[in-house]
Amino acid sequence: VRVDVHFAPAVVTAADMHGRVVVVIDVLRASTTMAVALHNGARNIIPCESSDEVVVRAKSFERRDVLLAGERRMVAIPGFDLGNSPREMTPAVVGGKTILLTTTNGTGALLATQGAREVVVASYVNFSAVLSMLRAATRGDADIAIICAGKDRTFALEDATCAGHFVRGIKRRRDSVVLGDGAQAALLLDRRYAQDLGSLFNDAEHARALANAGFGDDLQVCAAVDSCPVIPIYADRQVVRLGSERER
Amino acid sequence: VRVDVHFAPAVVTAADMHGRVVVVIDVLRASTTMAVALHNGARNIIPCESSDEVVVRAKSFERRDVLLAGERRMVAIPGFDLGNSPREMTPAVVGGKTILLTTTNGTGALLATQGAREVVVASYVNFSAVLSMLRAATRGDADIAIICAGKDRTFALEDATCAGHFVRGIKRRRDSVVLGDGAQAALLLDRRYAQDLGSLFNDAEHARALANAGFGDDLQVCAAVDSCPVIPIYADRQVVRLGSERER
């Protein structure tokens, strides 16, 4: 079994994903927001490339069944129901709804996973749930590719560090795991920050930018390990909770 | 002063380099090979995108003045004078010569540096020499961008770790340095491996591949910190030693 970590979707090719279980990580905030929404009863999430696509797709739903959500430069898109803050995804708001979501980095990473055997959306809030699924996959000899959404096409410290947490978890029960260079590096980041996510969010530029933009409380939510034990699976262009009915 | 580390040329944009002093690192082996060649008396090195370009450019020189050099999949290109091994760059072979060089990763990274204020080619063998130049640049308030050549467009552990060694060196004398996420991560890699490059080359996939391909002795040369105290500057499409006449 082989585990690779890619630090930006831009460097990932179809060959990197072919036949693998792919994990997409955007800790701040898309992955976290999706996990919180599904945990709080959202029916499904449809990642969209643009706010235009959100608006177009919304027309195929009853207005009361959908929520238009997304951000650009961290702030909610004007006219949308929601931004990209996990704190907005309360049971009262998202219960039973389809969320059409576009974000700067995370949704693009999901849309780049074609050819994967299975795609799961991961963050700290659903760490153990996703890890259990990955361990099952490696017992079936599936290779794993972890894709960090990053920021603006490049490396983001918090995504790489969270990827390292998964690498450590996968490796713990299996000595025979082969780690690519990215996975080796991610492990070292996890060793530094796993016990101190506050310090991770001090060092990570996007975390500081969020705090400066008034989203400091979001960081607490994003650092709450295992607070939302869901396994969000991306298939057929939507993200649903594993075990839920995939109906639309 | 700001220091950013980019883990793959593919994610670097012109804006990332504009006005900066740019450091290009390909520890295994192009950066090392260039430093060794210049240290041993090569007149200059001309990075080429392809073996075809090497052949075409060679025609504008007297045959005795040039060496055709390069590799694909680690092995010397058939018909060329040299591969990409630093051990081939002896004074007797390279003295006074122009080297036309094409490699899988390193030369492409150099060709992607347009817009930079200055470009320097760095590795462990010329660490302190290049660091002295970077410190001078930061005293002049220049921002630094370190570009890791990586392997096949993606992250390479040895380049990222060497980048971290430079970040640590730049930071040592200046508290006011702002580190991007990539620079933070590279620092942690350097902390792990700086005193143990043997272990770095055990963990790095490309180092293992070189050893398996019979280039294990090259790893020793690439790990010989400060063995070639030259500052290779890339300008006008050629790499020359800082302080040498830039004549052709």
Side-chain angles (χ1 to χ4, degrees), chain B residues 6 12-20 114-115 145:
Chain B
H6 303 281
V12 180
T13 63
D16 295 324
M17 285 179 291
H18 182 71
R20 297 201 181 202
Q114 288 185 347

Side-chain angles (χ1 to χ4, degrees), chain A residues 130-187:
Chain A
V130 171
L131 180 62
S132 68
M133 178 235 178
L134 297 178
R135 281 191 177 140
T138 58
R139 280 194 296 273
D141 274 336
D143 293 331
I144 311 276
I146 304 178
I147 303 180
C148 299
K151 57 174 194 307
D152 303 333
R153 293 169 44 87
T154 79
F155 183 87
L157 191 63
E158 69 280 9
D159 293 341
T161 303
C162 184
H165 209 49
F166 281 101
V167 174
R168 186 175 311 284
I170 295 164
K171 205 170 162 286
R172 190 172 297 136
R173 301 274 181 88
R174 280 184 75 107
D175 285 339
S176 60
V177 175
V178 176
L179 302 183
D181 278 13
Q184 296 273 9
L187 262 185

Side-chain angles (χ1 to χ4, degrees), chain B residues 17-185:
Chain B
M17 285 179 291
H18 182 71
R20 297 201 181 202
V21 173
V22 171
V23 184
V24 173
I25 296 179
D26 184 7
V27 171
L28 301 176
R29 299 168 289 176
S31 292
T32 302
T33 297
M34 290 184 197
V36 171
L38 292 174
H39 182 65
N40 284 343
R43 170 188 289 237
N44 58 1
I45 297 147
I46 302 180
C48 300
E49 284 192 75
S50 64
S51 54
D52 284 351
E53 190 190 344
V54 168
V55 172
V56 170
R57 282 181 165 255
K59 292 177 182 158
S60 59
F61 292 86
E62 294 287 329
R63 185 65 185 91
R64 67 171 179 277
D65 291 338
V66 291
L67 293 167
L68 285 61
E71 53 81 18
R72 285 295 178 266
R73 298 170 185 262
M74 300 179 281
V75 177
I77 294 168
F80 277 28
D81 302 306
L82 302 167
N84 180 31
S85 168
R87 289 183 303 129
E88 297 175 287
M89 308 292 156
T90 61
V93 170
V94 303
K97 299 289 177 81
T98 288
I99 302 174
L100 301 168
L101 177 68
T102 184
T103 71
T104 308
N105 303 300
T107 50
L110 271 182
L111 296 170
T113 57
Q114 288 185 347
R117 172 167 151 181
E118 204 150 21
V119 180
V120 59
V121 179
S123 59
Y124 283 109
V125 298
N126 62 346
F127 173 75
S128 295
V130 170
L131 180 61
S132 68
M133 178 236 179
L134 297 178
R135 282 192 175 138
T138 58
R139 281 194 296 273
D141 274 336
D143 293 331
I144 311 277
I146 304 179
I147 303 180
C148 300
K151 60 174 190 308
D152 303 333
R153 295 169 42 88
T154 79
F155 183 88
L157 191 64
E158 69 279 9
D159 293 341
T161 302
C162 184
H165 209 49
F166 281 101
V167 173
R168 186 176 309 285
I170 296 163
K171 203 171 165 283
R172 191 172 297 136
R173 303 273 182 89
R174 281 185 76 105
D175 285 338
S176 60
V177 175
V178 176
L179 302 183
D181 279 12
Q184 296 273 11

Side-chain angles (χ1 to χ4, degrees), chain A residues 5-247:
Chain A
V5 175
H6 303 282
F7 294 126
V11 299
V12 180
T13 64
D16 295 323
M17 285 178 292
H18 181 72
R20 295 200 182 204
V21 172
V22 172
V23 184
V24 174
I25 297 180
D26 184 6
V27 171
L28 300 176
R29 298 169 287 172
S31 292
T32 302
T33 297
M34 290 184 197
V36 171
L38 293 175
H39 182 65
N40 285 342
R43 171 187 290 236
N44 56 2
I45 299 148
I46 301 179
C48 299
E49 284 192 77
S50 64
S51 53
D52 284 352
E53 190 190 344
V54 168
V55 172
V56 169
R57 283 180 165 257
K59 291 177 182 159
S60 58
F61 292 86
E62 294 287 328
R63 184 63 185 91
R64 67 173 179 274
D65 292 337
V66 292
L67 293 166
L68 285 61
E71 54 81 18
R72 286 295 179 266
R73 298 170 185 265
M74 299 180 280
V75 177
I77 293 168
F80 277 28
D81 302 307
L82 301 167
N84 180 31
S85 168
R87 289 183 304 130
E88 297 175 285
M89 309 291 155
T90 60
V93 170
V94 303
K97 300 290 178 83
T98 288
I99 303 175
L100 300 167
L101 177 69
T102 183
T103 71
T104 308
N105 303 301
T107 50
L110 271 183
L111 297 171
T113 57
Q114 289 187 346
R117 173 167 149 178
E118 204 150 20
V119 180
V120 59
V121 179
S123 61
Y124 284 109
V125 299
N126 61 348
F127 173 75
S128 295
V130 171
L131 180 62
S132 68
M133 178 235 178
L134 297 178
R135 281 191 177 140
T138 58
R139 280 194 296 273
D141 274 336
D143 293 331
I144 311 276
I146 304 178
I147 303 180
C148 299
K151 57 174 194 307
D152 303 333
R153 293 169 44 87
T154 79
F155 183 87
L157 191 63
E158 69 280 9
D159 293 341
T161 303
C162 184
H165 209 49
F166 281 101
V167 174
R168 186 175 311 284
I170 295 164
K171 205 170 162 286
R172 190 172 297 136
R173 301 274 181 88
R174 280 184 75 107
D175 285 339
S176 60
V177 175
V178 176
L179 302 183
D181 278 13
Q184 296 273 9
L187 262 185
L188 288 174
L189 302 181
D190 177 62
R191 185 178 300 168
R192 163 68 183 83
Y193 291 116
Q195 302 305 319
D196 187 5
L197 296 183
S199 146
L200 170 62
F201 289 160
N202 269 330
D203 289 347
E205 291 197 291
H206 188 52
R208 296 201 301 268
L210 282 167
N212 289 337
F215 293 107
D217 289 346
D218 280 11
L219 299 179
Q220 308 294 327
V221 176
C222 296
V225 178
D226 289 339
S227 56
C228 298
V230 293
I231 302 175
I233 300 293
Y234 175 66
D236 302 330
R237 294 221 51 192
Q238 60 179 324
V239 181
V240 296
R241 188 172 169 167
L242 183 67
S244 70
E245 291 175 73
R246 293 196 191 185
E247 61 185 10

